[in-house]
CSV table of all heavy atoms in Angstrom, one decimal:
chain,number,residue,atom,x,y,z
A,1078,SER,N,0.8,-1.2,0.0
A,1078,SER,CA,0.0,0.0,0.0
A,1078,SER,C,0.9,1.3,0.0
A,1078,SER,O,0.5,2.3,-0.7
A,1078,SER,CB,-0.9,0.0,1.2
A,1078,SER,OG,-1.9,-1.0,1.1
A,1079,ALA,N,2.0,1.2,0.8
A,1079,ALA,CA,2.9,2.4,0.8
A,1079,ALA,C,3.5,2.6,-0.6
A,1079,ALA,O,3.7,3.8,-1.0
A,1079,ALA,CB,4.0,2.1,1.9
A,1080,ILE,N,3.8,1.6,-1.3
A,1080,ILE,CA,4.4,1.7,-2.6
A,1080,ILE,C,3.4,2.4,-3.5
A,1080,ILE,O,3.7,3.3,-4.3
A,1080,ILE,CB,4.9,0.3,-3.2
A,1080,ILE,CG1,6.0,-0.2,-2.4
A,1080,ILE,CG2,5.2,0.4,-4.7
A,1080,ILE,CD1,6.5,-1.6,-2.8
A,1081,VAL,N,2.1,1.9,-3.5
A,1081,VAL,CA,1.1,2.5,-4.3
A,1081,VAL,C,0.9,3.9,-4.0
A,1081,VAL,O,0.7,4.8,-4.9
A,1081,VAL,CB,-0.2,1.7,-4.1
A,1081,VAL,CG1,-1.4,2.4,-4.9
A,1081,VAL,CG2,-0.1,0.2,-4.6
A,1082,TYR,N,0.9,4.3,-2.7
A,1082,TYR,CA,0.7,5.7,-2.3
A,1082,TYR,C,1.8,6.6,-2.9
A,1082,TYR,O,1.5,7.6,-3.4
A,1082,TYR,CB,0.7,5.7,-0.8
A,1082,TYR,CG,0.5,7.1,-0.2
A,1082,TYR,CD1,-0.7,7.8,-0.3
A,1082,TYR,CD2,1.6,7.9,0.3
A,1082,TYR,CE1,-0.9,9.1,0.2
A,1082,TYR,CE2,1.5,9.1,0.7
A,1082,TYR,CZ,0.2,9.8,0.7
A,1082,TYR,OH,0.1,11.1,1.1
A,1083,ASN,N,3.0,6.1,-2.7
A,1083,ASN,CA,4.2,7.0,-3.2
A,1083,ASN,C,4.3,7.0,-4.7
A,1083,ASN,O,4.7,8.0,-5.2
A,1083,ASN,CB,5.5,6.5,-2.5
A,1083,ASN,CG,5.7,7.1,-1.1
A,1083,ASN,OD1,5.4,8.3,-0.9
A,1083,ASN,ND2,6.1,6.3,-0.2
A,1084,LEU,N,4.0,5.9,-5.3
A,1084,LEU,CA,4.3,5.8,-6.7
A,1084,LEU,C,3.1,6.3,-7.6
A,1084,LEU,O,3.3,6.8,-8.7
A,1084,LEU,CB,4.6,4.3,-7.1
A,1084,LEU,CG,5.4,4.0,-8.3
A,1084,LEU,CD1,6.7,4.8,-8.3
A,1084,LEU,CD2,5.7,2.5,-8.5
A,1085,PHE,N,1.9,6.2,-7.1
A,1085,PHE,CA,0.7,6.5,-7.9
A,1085,PHE,C,-0.1,7.7,-7.4
A,1085,PHE,O,-0.6,8.5,-8.1
A,1085,PHE,CB,-0.2,5.3,-8.1
A,1085,PHE,CG,0.4,4.2,-8.9
A,1085,PHE,CD1,1.0,3.1,-8.2
A,1085,PHE,CD2,0.4,4.2,-10.3
A,1085,PHE,CE1,1.6,2.1,-9.0
A,1085,PHE,CE2,1.0,3.2,-11.0
A,1085,PHE,CZ,1.6,2.1,-10.4
A,1086,LEU,N,-0.4,7.7,-6.1
A,1086,LEU,CA,-1.3,8.7,-5.5
A,1086,LEU,C,-0.7,10.0,-5.2
A,1086,LEU,O,-1.2,11.1,-5.6
A,1086,LEU,CB,-2.0,8.1,-4.2
A,1086,LEU,CG,-2.7,6.7,-4.4
A,1086,LEU,CD1,-3.3,6.3,-3.1
A,1086,LEU,CD2,-3.7,6.8,-5.5
A,1087,LEU,N,0.4,10.0,-4.4
A,1087,LEU,CA,1.0,11.3,-4.0
A,1087,LEU,C,1.5,12.2,-5.2
A,1087,LEU,O,1.2,13.4,-5.2
A,1087,LEU,CB,2.1,11.0,-3.0
A,1087,LEU,CG,2.7,12.3,-2.3
A,1087,LEU,CD1,1.7,13.0,-1.6
A,1087,LEU,CD2,3.9,11.9,-1.4
A,1088,PRO,N,2.2,11.6,-6.2
A,1088,PRO,CA,2.7,12.5,-7.3
A,1088,PRO,C,1.6,13.2,-8.0
A,1088,PRO,O,1.9,14.3,-8.6
A,1088,PRO,CB,3.4,11.5,-8.2
A,1088,PRO,CG,3.8,10.3,-7.3
A,1088,PRO,CD,2.6,10.2,-6.3
A,1089,VAL,N,0.4,12.7,-8.1
A,1089,VAL,CA,-0.7,13.4,-8.8
A,1089,VAL,C,-1.7,14.0,-7.9
A,1089,VAL,O,-2.8,14.4,-8.3
A,1089,VAL,CB,-1.4,12.4,-9.8
A,1089,VAL,CG1,-0.4,12.0,-10.9
A,1089,VAL,CG2,-2.0,11.2,-9.1
A,1090,ASN,N,-1.4,14.0,-6.6
A,1090,ASN,CA,-2.3,14.5,-5.6
A,1090,ASN,C,-3.7,13.9,-5.7
A,1090,ASN,O,-4.8,14.6,-5.6
A,1090,ASN,CB,-2.4,16.1,-5.7
A,1090,ASN,CG,-1.1,16.7,-5.4
A,1090,ASN,OD1,-0.4,16.4,-4.4
A,1090,ASN,ND2,-0.8,17.7,-6.2
A,1091,LEU,N,-3.8,12.6,-5.8
A,1091,LEU,CA,-5.0,11.9,-5.9
A,1091,LEU,C,-5.5,11.5,-4.4
A,1091,LEU,O,-4.9,10.7,-3.8
A,1091,LEU,CB,-4.9,10.6,-6.7
A,1091,LEU,CG,-6.1,9.9,-7.2
A,1091,LEU,CD1,-7.1,10.9,-8.0
A,1091,LEU,CD2,-5.8,8.8,-8.2
A,1092,VAL,N,-6.6,12.2,-4.0
A,1092,VAL,CA,-7.1,12.0,-2.6
A,1092,VAL,C,-8.2,11.0,-2.6
A,1092,VAL,O,-9.2,11.2,-3.2
A,1092,VAL,CB,-7.5,13.3,-2.0
A,1092,VAL,CG1,-8.1,13.1,-0.6
A,1092,VAL,CG2,-6.4,14.3,-2.0
A,1093,THR,N,-8.0,9.9,-2.0
A,1093,THR,CA,-9.0,8.8,-1.9
A,1093,THR,C,-9.5,8.5,-0.5
A,1093,THR,O,-10.1,7.5,-0.3
A,1093,THR,CB,-8.5,7.5,-2.5
A,1093,THR,OG1,-7.3,7.1,-1.8
A,1093,THR,CG2,-8.1,7.7,-4.0
A,1094,GLY,N,-9.3,9.4,0.4
A,1094,GLY,CA,-9.8,9.3,1.7
A,1094,GLY,C,-8.7,8.7,2.7
A,1094,GLY,O,-7.6,8.5,2.3
A,1095,GLY,N,-9.1,8.5,3.9
A,1095,GLY,CA,-8.2,8.0,4.9
A,1095,GLY,C,-7.1,8.9,5.3
A,1095,GLY,O,-7.0,10.1,4.9
A,1096,ALA,N,-6.2,8.4,6.1
A,1096,ALA,CA,-5.0,9.1,6.6
A,1096,ALA,C,-4.1,9.6,5.4
A,1096,ALA,O,-3.5,10.7,5.4
A,1096,ALA,CB,-4.2,8.3,7.6
A,1097,GLY,N,-4.0,8.7,4.4
A,1097,GLY,CA,-3.2,9.0,3.2
A,1097,GLY,C,-3.8,10.3,2.5
A,1097,GLY,O,-3.0,11.1,2.0
A,1098,GLY,N,-5.1,10.3,2.4
A,1098,GLY,CA,-5.7,11.5,1.8
A,1098,GLY,C,-5.4,12.8,2.5
A,1098,GLY,O,-5.1,13.8,1.9
A,1099,ILE,N,-5.6,12.7,3.9
A,1099,ILE,CA,-5.2,13.9,4.7
A,1099,ILE,C,-3.8,14.3,4.5
A,1099,ILE,O,-3.5,15.5,4.4
A,1099,ILE,CB,-5.5,13.6,6.2
A,1099,ILE,CG1,-7.0,13.3,6.4
A,1099,ILE,CG2,-5.0,14.7,7.1
A,1099,ILE,CD1,-7.4,12.9,7.8
A,1100,ALA,N,-2.9,13.3,4.5
A,1100,ALA,CA,-1.5,13.6,4.3
A,1100,ALA,C,-1.2,14.2,3.0
A,1100,ALA,O,-0.3,15.1,2.9
A,1100,ALA,CB,-0.7,12.3,4.4
A,1101,THR,N,-1.9,13.8,1.9
A,1101,THR,CA,-1.7,14.4,0.6
A,1101,THR,C,-2.1,15.9,0.6
A,1101,THR,O,-1.4,16.8,0.1
A,1101,THR,CB,-2.5,13.7,-0.5
A,1101,THR,OG1,-2.1,12.3,-0.5
A,1101,THR,CG2,-2.3,14.3,-1.8
A,1102,ILE,N,-3.2,16.2,1.3
A,1102,ILE,CA,-3.7,17.6,1.3
A,1102,ILE,C,-2.7,18.4,2.1
A,1102,ILE,O,-2.4,19.5,1.7
A,1102,ILE,CB,-5.1,17.6,2.0
A,1102,ILE,CG1,-6.1,16.9,1.1
A,1102,ILE,CG2,-5.6,19.0,2.2
A,1102,ILE,CD1,-7.5,16.6,1.7
A,1103,THR,N,-2.3,18.0,3.3
A,1103,THR,CA,-1.5,18.8,4.2
A,1103,THR,C,-0.1,18.9,3.6
A,1103,THR,O,0.6,19.9,3.8
A,1103,THR,CB,-1.3,18.2,5.6
A,1103,THR,OG1,-0.9,16.8,5.5
A,1103,THR,CG2,-2.7,18.2,6.3
A,1104,ASN,N,0.4,17.9,2.8
A,1104,ASN,CA,1.7,18.1,2.1
A,1104,ASN,C,1.6,19.2,1.1
A,1104,ASN,O,2.5,20.0,0.9
A,1104,ASN,CB,2.0,16.7,1.5
A,1104,ASN,CG,3.3,16.8,0.6
A,1104,ASN,OD1,3.2,16.8,-0.6
A,1104,ASN,ND2,4.4,16.9,1.3
A,1105,TYR,N,0.5,19.2,0.4
A,1105,TYR,CA,0.3,20.3,-0.7
A,1105,TYR,C,0.1,21.7,-0.1
A,1105,TYR,O,0.7,22.6,-0.6
A,1105,TYR,CB,-0.9,19.9,-1.5
A,1105,TYR,CG,-1.3,20.9,-2.6
A,1105,TYR,CD1,-0.6,21.0,-3.8
A,1105,TYR,CD2,-2.3,21.9,-2.4
A,1105,TYR,CE1,-0.9,21.9,-4.8
A,1105,TYR,CE2,-2.6,22.8,-3.4
A,1105,TYR,CZ,-1.9,22.8,-4.5
A,1105,TYR,OH,-2.2,23.7,-5.5
A,1106,VAL,N,-0.7,21.8,1.0
A,1106,VAL,CA,-1.0,23.1,1.6
A,1106,VAL,C,0.1,23.6,2.5
A,1106,VAL,O,0.5,24.8,2.4
A,1106,VAL,CB,-2.3,23.0,2.3
A,1106,VAL,CG1,-2.7,24.4,3.0
A,1106,VAL,CG2,-3.5,22.6,1.4
A,1107,TYR,N,0.6,22.7,3.3
A,1107,TYR,CA,1.6,23.2,4.4
A,1107,TYR,C,3.0,22.6,4.2
A,1107,TYR,O,3.9,23.0,4.9
A,1107,TYR,CB,1.1,22.8,5.8
A,1107,TYR,CG,-0.3,23.4,6.1
A,1107,TYR,CD1,-1.4,22.5,6.2
A,1107,TYR,CD2,-0.5,24.7,6.3
A,1107,TYR,CE1,-2.7,23.0,6.5
A,1107,TYR,CE2,-1.7,25.3,6.6
A,1107,TYR,CZ,-2.8,24.4,6.7
A,1107,TYR,OH,-4.0,24.9,7.0
A,1108,GLY,N,3.2,21.7,3.2
A,1108,GLY,CA,4.5,21.1,3.0
A,1108,GLY,C,4.9,20.1,4.1
A,1108,GLY,O,6.1,19.8,4.3
A,1109,ILE,N,3.9,19.5,4.8
A,1109,ILE,CA,4.2,18.6,5.9
A,1109,ILE,C,4.5,17.2,5.3
A,1109,ILE,O,3.8,16.8,4.3
A,1109,ILE,CB,3.0,18.4,6.8
A,1109,ILE,CG1,2.7,19.8,7.5
A,1109,ILE,CG2,3.3,17.4,7.9
A,1109,ILE,CD1,1.4,19.8,8.3
A,1110,ASP,N,5.5,16.6,5.7
A,1110,ASP,CA,5.9,15.3,5.2
A,1110,ASP,C,4.8,14.3,5.4
A,1110,ASP,O,4.2,14.1,6.5
A,1110,ASP,CB,7.1,14.8,6.1
A,1110,ASP,CG,7.6,13.4,5.6
A,1110,ASP,OD1,7.5,13.1,4.4
A,1110,ASP,OD2,8.0,12.6,6.4
A,1111,PRO,N,4.4,13.6,4.3
A,1111,PRO,CA,3.2,12.7,4.3
A,1111,PRO,C,3.3,11.6,5.3
A,1111,PRO,O,2.4,11.3,6.0
A,1111,PRO,CB,3.1,12.2,2.9
A,1111,PRO,CG,3.8,13.2,2.0
A,1111,PRO,CD,4.9,13.8,2.9
A,1112,ALA,N,4.5,11.0,5.4
A,1112,ALA,CA,4.7,9.9,6.4
A,1112,ALA,C,4.5,10.4,7.8
A,1112,ALA,O,3.9,9.7,8.6
A,1112,ALA,CB,6.1,9.4,6.2
A,1113,LEU,N,4.9,11.6,8.1
A,1113,LEU,CA,4.8,12.2,9.5
A,1113,LEU,C,3.3,12.4,9.7
A,1113,LEU,O,2.8,12.1,10.8
A,1113,LEU,CB,5.5,13.5,9.6
A,1113,LEU,CG,5.4,14.3,10.9
A,1113,LEU,CD1,5.8,13.4,12.1
A,1113,LEU,CD2,6.1,15.6,10.9
A,1114,MET,N,2.6,13.0,8.8
A,1114,MET,CA,1.1,13.3,9.0
A,1114,MET,C,0.3,12.0,9.1
A,1114,MET,O,-0.5,11.9,10.0
A,1114,MET,CB,0.6,14.1,7.8
A,1114,MET,CG,-0.9,14.4,7.9
A,1114,MET,SD,-1.4,15.2,9.5
A,1114,MET,CE,-0.5,16.7,9.4
A,1115,ILE,N,0.7,10.9,8.3
A,1115,ILE,CA,0.0,9.7,8.5
A,1115,ILE,C,0.3,9.1,9.9
A,1115,ILE,O,-0.6,8.5,10.5
A,1115,ILE,CB,0.5,8.7,7.4
A,1115,ILE,CG1,0.0,9.1,6.0
A,1115,ILE,CG2,0.0,7.3,7.7
A,1115,ILE,CD1,0.6,8.3,4.9
């Protein structure tokens, strides 16, 4: 799942819910490391 997140979801800012979705948003808006937010 982590590979899919980093390789497919995060690079295109694809938000599909869950902690990963929150991490994608906060990474884009505030520059917070996605792993840290998750």
